[in-house]
Amino acid sequence: MKRLLYILLVGLSVAMLAGCGSSGSGGNTPAKDKPAAPKQTAATPQPTAVPSGVPVLMYHKIGDEKNNDAVISEELFAAQMDFLKKNGYNPITMDELYAYMTEKKPLPLKPLVITFDDGYRDTYEIAMPILKKHGFRSMMFIPASDVGKNINWNELREMKAAGMDIGSHSYTHTDLEGMSKQKQTEEITKAKEIFDRELKQDTKWFCYPYGGYDNTTRAIMKEKGITMSVTMNPGWAKYGDDPLVIKRIWVGNKVTLKYFEERISKADYTSL
């Protein structure tokens, strides 16, 4: 009798130990609840509208040459970009401008375009970091033959990655107006081929050197696949305007924050 009782007690102890040690899905221990995955909130779409016009800002050199209106100080340029950010302006690309000008496509509220001419070193060293900080898109036009003098190809690729598109300013920065068709074609085509190859892009954007062009120039642009060309003619870009003759707003040291605000908010801004 004692032997039978002993066997029963041993069997009961083994069964209890097996039950306590089980941690699998078939055991009696309840599984711990997993934390719920965070809910993903859809991004609020940016409001858009068809504007009456778009200011296209034209910068050249950033530096300390106070008596040169083609130059703007670093402090004033930074202040202008801060003003844009704080007041809800939205710099857009040239392609977005093209869609608006030709198809009346809506744009983000308070749109504008930021452009730089000539490819000065300060566009890379000063302008690009400021624009990148604000998340602003922009465009720089540089003569193909000048690449390597102030800015090299690797730096141009870096600028593209930072949101600054690179456009053609011809091959040698020569005034095209009145030039023969052959020479104009060489200036336009050679530059485009170089930018297309080195930057792996379709270089559809052009800036007329010294603002000079004629009917021959525009005909070559269309033939060679250039869809947008900017001038030095003052004013805003508007729907229905010729995208091969885009007006721009000159910005230099004379354009204080007061005049800057007027130029980006009124198409009939004060001439300085």
Side-chain angles (χ1 to χ4, degrees):
M1 183 67 180
K2 289 182 179 180
R3 181 178 177 81
L4 179 61
L5 182 60
Y6 175 77
I7 292 172
L8 290 173
L9 289 171
V10 170
L12 180 62
S13 298
V14 171
M16 291 176 65
L17 288 170
C20 291
S22 175
S23 60
S25 60
N28 295 325
T29 304
K32 293 182 179 180
D33 293 335
K34 293 182 179 180
K39 295 182 179 179
Q40 294 185 351
T41 305
T44 304
Q46 188 177 31
T48 60
V50 177
S52 60
V54 177
V56 181
L57 305 179
M58 173 176 50
Y59 291 95
H60 283 79
K61 189 175 183 181
I62 302 174
D64 296 326
E65 300 177 35
K66 296 181 180 179
N67 296 322
N68 186 342
D69 197 39
V71 180
I72 186 170
S73 70
E74 179 178 351
E75 293 74 19
L76 182 53
F77 176 76
Q80 290 176 352
M81 297 303 104
D82 287 342
F83 180 89
L84 295 179
K85 189 69 173 183
K86 292 175 182 176
N87 289 277
Y89 282 87
N90 289 290
I92 61 173
T93 65
M94 292 288 284
D95 286 344
E96 289 175 304
L97 179 66
Y98 181 81
Y100 157 72
M101 293 181 69
T102 59
E103 303 174 38
K104 211 173 185 178
K105 288 287 185 69
L107 294 172
L109 304 184
K110 294 186 174 182
L112 50 78
V113 179
I114 302 172
T115 69
F116 299 86
D117 290 6
D118 300 334
Y120 290 105
R121 184 68 188 171
D122 47 78
T123 306
Y124 173 78
E125 293 183 342
I126 299 175
M128 184 184 72
I130 292 173
L131 295 167
K132 188 176 180 180
K133 177 184 73 171
H134 291 307
F136 287 170
R137 297 300 303 266
S138 60
M139 165 67 71
M140 183 182 74
F141 297 102
I142 180 172
S145 65
D146 282 356
V147 179
K149 294 180 181 178
N150 296 317
I151 301 175
N152 62 42
W153 287 112
N154 285 333
E155 289 165 339
L156 288 180
R157 296 182 187 102
E158 182 184 347
M159 295 166 84
K160 276 192 64 177
M164 182 179 288
D165 291 320
I166 308 301
S168 173
H169 205 11
S170 79
Y171 182 67
T172 62
H173 196 263
T174 302
D175 190 344
L176 301 176
E177 186 176 11
M179 188 183 291
S180 70
K181 181 177 181 180
Q182 180 182 348
K183 289 184 178 179
Q184 287 199 45
T185 301
E186 290 174 358
E187 282 286 331
I188 295 167
T189 304
K190 190 172 183 178
K192 177 171 170 47
E193 290 174 349
I194 292 172
F195 286 119
D196 286 358
R197 181 181 66 249
E198 295 293 336
L199 300 178
K200 294 179 172 55
Q201 65 180 26
D202 180 9
T203 311
K204 302 174 290 185
W205 321 283
F206 192 90
C207 175
Y208 298 114
Y210 306 102
Y213 62 92
D214 53 29
N215 290 333
T216 299
T217 320
R218 294 165 66 188
I220 297 170
M221 294 292 174
K222 293 177 181 179
E223 180 185 337
K224 300 302 179 182
I226 305 291
T227 58
M228 305 189 78
S229 299
V230 296
T231 70
M232 296 177 68
N233 303 334
W236 285 21
K238 298 182 179 182
Y239 167 68
D241 286 353
D242 185 349
L244 290 177
V245 191
I246 299 172
K247 298 175 181 177
R248 289 192 294 172
I249 300 171
W250 183 286
V251 187
N253 279 319
K254 288 183 179 179
V255 184
T256 62
L257 280 180
K258 172 188 173 182
Y259 289 117
F260 182 73
E261 180 178 6
E262 181 191 31
R263 291 184 167 215
I264 60 177
S265 59
K266 292 174 57 179
D268 57 341
Y269 56 85
T270 303
S271 179
L272 298 176

